[in-house]
């Protein structure tokens, strides 16, 4: 099987390394680079048309990232009868139904294991579960960069900025880390996962709040309450309605999520017959991501089909499907926005009881308009100890 790689950065070079030192049935015969990139290998070319029109190339691996020109390049490859494997979660989250339909029209495969969960085979196992089960919950730590930051802030007792700098130095965070710390990377991975689980086209907008505003003071407060903060993506289905949200969430210190350290991922699904399945491992990095791409290449080589989805299930997005407690650190003058809710004050923070997720995120936008540094976190709904600890502290402070 002859392969062309589009883009030769961290992931693309990792794919090349694995193939060059692995199965002789696979060979990289072309590497597409931009004109500004020096051609340092004989396989490198700036001529995309030559790759598309080469009948000997079976598969194109797209590792360029971003929406454009990746969207056009993937479509052209499929239309030229090439299988496509990609790690590009942004383009897959937006165009997955289109890519799948075009691939089917041209009798080729479009695979994307590496978009979500890095090397932990999350997509493949989600597909296996969805073949025979109705998935009703997807939840977890989808982003290694944000998890590394929160973990180091707690265990090394550091503030946000020096940990983010360290994450950049270690290659966990990009020069512009916005997608990781603001939650957009998790949104894309959650959209892909929910689309597969529910067989529907994901919504355009997902309630999202990241970790940009978290401080060492926040982390220290949570630790004093025996809580651990994680950035979580969660989707839930109830009949023909479903929800999606990305937000910081507090877990008791004994929870699995609380004990997922460094840049690791922990992703869970729940099916009506299989129950809970959890997947843990390296969620990012050169070789874990490249490994997932090569796994897809093996599936193409060995004619191992993936789950066939039409993404046309008529489900309704409901941001208020979930109800949670939240803790808010903000200018006290913003607390009046929650006067119609049951609330308690805990160490100058407002605990809002049983508020629908969509309503909380809307109100948080109003809070940020007044206090741009405000921070909120959901209290883990599966961890009753989280609520119990905060309630105990309420009694100590207020009573």
């Amino acid at each position: 099987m002859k392969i062309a790689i589009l883009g030769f950065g961290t992931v693309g070079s990792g794919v090349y390394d694995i193939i060059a030192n692995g199965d002789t049935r696979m060979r990289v015969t072309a590497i597409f680079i931009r004109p500004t990139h020096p051609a340092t290998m004989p396989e490198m070319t700036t001529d995309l048309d030559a790759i598309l029109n080469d009948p000997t190339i079976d598969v194109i691996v797209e590792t360029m990232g971003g929406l454009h020109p990746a969207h056009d390049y993937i479509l052209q490859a499929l239309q030229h009868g090439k299988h496509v494997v990609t790690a590009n979660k942004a383009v897959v989250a937006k165009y997955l139904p289109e890519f799948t339909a075009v691939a089917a029209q041209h009798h080729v495969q479009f695979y994307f294991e590496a978009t979500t969960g890095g090397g932990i085979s999350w997509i493949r196992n989600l597909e296996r579960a969805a073949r025979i089960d109705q998935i009703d919950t997807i939840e977890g730590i989808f982003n290694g960069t944000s998890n590394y930051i929160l973990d180091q802030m707690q265990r090394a007792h550091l503030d946000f900025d020096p940990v983010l700098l360290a994450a950049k130095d270690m290659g966990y965070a990009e020069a512009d880390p916005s997608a990781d710390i603001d939650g957009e990377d998790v949104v894309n991975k959650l959209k892909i996962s929910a689309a597969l689980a529910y067989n529907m086209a994901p919504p355009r907008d997902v309630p999202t709040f990241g970790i940009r505003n978290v401080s060492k003071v926040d982390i220290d407060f949570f630790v004093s309450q025996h809580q651990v903060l994680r950035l979580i993506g969660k989707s839930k289905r109830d009949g023909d309605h479903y929800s999606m949200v990305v937000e910081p969430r507090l877990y008791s210190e004994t929870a699995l999520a609380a004990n997922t350290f460094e840049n690791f991922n922990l992703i869970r699904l729940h099916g009506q017959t299989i129950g809970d399945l959890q997947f843990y491992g390296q969620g990012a990095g050169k070789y874990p991501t490249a490994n997932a791409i090569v796994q897809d290449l093996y599936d193409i080589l060995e004619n191992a089909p993936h789950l066939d989805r039409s993404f046309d299930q008529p489900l309704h997005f409901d941001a208020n499907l979930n109800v949670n407690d939240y803790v808010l650190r903000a200018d006290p003058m913003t607390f009046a926005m929650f006067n119609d809710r049951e609330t308690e004050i805990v160490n100058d923070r407002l605990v809002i009881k049983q508020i629908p997720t969509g309503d909380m995120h809307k109100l948080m936008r109003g809070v940020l308009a007044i206090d741009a540094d405000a921070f909120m976190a959901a209290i883990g709904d599966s961890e009753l100890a989280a609520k119990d600890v905060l309630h105990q502290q309420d009694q100590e402070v207020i009573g």
Side-chain angles (χ1 to χ4, degrees), residues 147-273:
N147 202 64
Y148 173 82
I149 291 171
L150 294 175
D151 179 51
Q152 288 298 299
M153 287 181 71
Q154 177 172 335
R155 294 200 293 151
H157 308 289
L158 297 171
D159 217 328
F160 183 89
D161 288 340
V163 177
L164 176 59
L165 183 61
K168 290 181 179 180
D169 290 342
M170 298 177 70
Y172 294 157
E174 302 288 343
D176 179 1
S178 298
D180 293 321
I181 64 176
D182 292 332
E184 285 306 313
D185 178 77
V186 181
V187 169
N188 288 328
K189 295 171 180 177
L190 190 62
K191 284 182 176 182
I192 294 167
S193 302
L196 287 173
Y198 312 148
N199 193 25
M200 56 85 196
R204 179 176 299 178
D205 297 315
V206 174
T208 306
F209 187 78
I211 63 168
R212 182 183 292 270
N213 285 359
V214 70
S215 70
K216 183 177 182 296
V217 173
D218 295 321
I219 298 294
D220 290 346
F221 169 70
F222 299 143
V223 168
S224 75
Q225 304 294 301
H226 307 286
Q227 303 301 298
V228 176
L229 187 70
R230 294 291 183 255
L231 182 63
I232 299 294
K234 183 173 183 178
S235 178
K236 187 173 183 178
R237 179 179 176 179
D238 185 1
D240 62 354
H241 286 70
Y242 73 99
S243 65
M244 297 173 69
V245 65
V246 175
E247 62 189 2
R249 184 173 290 269
L250 290 166
Y251 292 93
S252 71
E253 58 192 7
T254 59
L256 283 174
N259 290 279
T260 300
F261 304 127
E262 298 288 337
N263 65 324
F264 280 75
N265 283 190
L266 175 70
I267 313 177
R268 174 179 76 94
L269 67 82
H270 181 271
Q272 292 187 348
T273 64

Side-chain angles (χ1 to χ4, degrees), residues 119-161:
I120 66 176
S121 297
W122 160 250
I123 294 295
R124 191 72 168 118
N125 283 288
L126 175 61
E127 288 181 333
R128 287 174 61 85
R131 287 188 304 186
I132 60 172
D133 216 345
Q134 180 166 302
I135 308 301
D136 56 38
T137 305
I138 297 166
E139 178 182 17
I141 299 168
F142 286 84
N143 183 270
T145 301
S146 62
N147 202 64
Y148 173 82
I149 291 171
L150 294 175
D151 179 51
Q152 288 298 299
M153 287 181 71
Q154 177 172 335
R155 294 200 293 151
H157 308 289
L158 297 171
D159 217 328
F160 183 89
D161 288 340

Side-chain angles (χ1 to χ4, degrees), residues 321-332:
L321 191 60
N322 294 321
V323 177
N324 269 301
D325 292 358
Y326 285 83
V327 58
L328 171 67
R329 187 260 300 150
D331 188 318

Side-chain angles (χ1 to χ4, degrees), residues 86-101:
T86 182
N88 186 340
K89 77 273 296 184
V91 78
V92 173
K94 187 169 184 178
Y95 297 108
L96 178 55
E98 179 185 18
F99 291 150
T100 302

Side-chain angles (χ1 to χ4, degrees), residues 3-8 28-52 54 57 64 73:
I3 300 158
I5 300 175
L6 307 188
F8 204 65
V28 176
T29 59
I31 300 170
F32 176 75
I33 57 173
R34 299 181 186 276
T36 54
H37 190 291
T40 57
M41 301 167 61
E43 299 93 339
M44 289 182 171
T45 178
T46 59
D47 190 347
L48 180 64
D49 288 336
I51 293 174
L52 295 173
D54 184 342
I57 292 177
M64 301 180 70
Y73 290 176

